[in-house]
Amino acid sequence: MIAASFTVYHHRARQLAGAMELCQDGMPEYASAAALLAVHSAISYSDALLIGLGGARPRGENHREAVTALRRACTGAKIEPQGITHLQKLLSAKTDISYGEKPVDEDRITALCVAAKRFKKWAEQVLHSREGRLS
């Protein structure tokens, strides 16, 4: 069950990250969607990491719990947690990006997409280095 759950979140994270890049690079009229996809790709990567590192993903609506859980899982697995700062940046923007009444400007969209790409790179490195040892 854990392996199946991990696979679902890992594939979802990759799909959302790919869609983010398409929206940002090839469809400027969907730039705001790229920001939302950036946030959700990071959430899915966080879920995949937590499951893969033997933990459980948070079930509540407070995604900030994932930061604490992921930091704890990295400490337990002796993994440098530097990628978590990108996740924190993305999660702090989630409510504003999802429900805010003001348009999201290009600079913010770019910053969020960069943060998502950096988090993805870190997450994929962690997952690749643990291949075969994932719970």
Side-chain angles (χ1 to χ4, degrees):
M1 179 63 173
I2 289 175
S5 190
F6 164 78
T7 301
V8 167
Y9 287 102
H10 191 212
H11 284 290
R12 184 175 298 148
R14 286 179 168 176
Q15 290 172 357
L16 291 165
M20 174 200 71
E21 290 188 33
L22 284 172
C23 288
Q24 184 191 22
D25 298 338
M27 298 184 226
E29 65 272 17
Y30 294 108
S32 291
L36 189 56
L37 289 163
V39 171
H40 284 281
S41 70
I43 291 169
S44 289
Y45 265 114
S46 175
D47 289 341
L49 283 163
L50 286 167
I51 293 166
L53 294 173
R57 66 181 199 82
R59 298 282 182 190
E61 290 296 315
N62 184 356
H63 293 293
R64 294 179 197 278
E65 292 173 11
V67 172
T68 303
L70 188 54
R71 195 174 303 282
R72 192 177 312 116
C74 285
T75 299
K78 296 179 176 45
I79 296 169
E80 287 295 320
Q82 72 272 15
I84 296 174
T85 59
H86 305 299
L87 176 63
Q88 287 174 303
K89 178 179 186 170
L90 290 155
L91 292 177
S92 70
K94 182 182 185 292
T95 299
D96 189 41
I97 298 298
S98 298
Y99 308 110
E101 294 182 11
K102 295 179 183 174
V104 183
D105 66 46
E106 271 188 60
D107 290 340
R108 186 150 191 223
I109 292 167
T110 299
L112 292 170
C113 289
V114 167
K117 289 174 187 176
R118 289 177 178 166
F119 186 68
K120 173 188 173 185
K121 181 179 179 183
W122 175 78
E124 289 290 352
Q125 287 172 341
V126 168
L127 295 171
H128 180 72
S129 72
R130 301 198 47 90
E131 200 169 359
R133 294 184 284 167
L134 297 174
S135 297

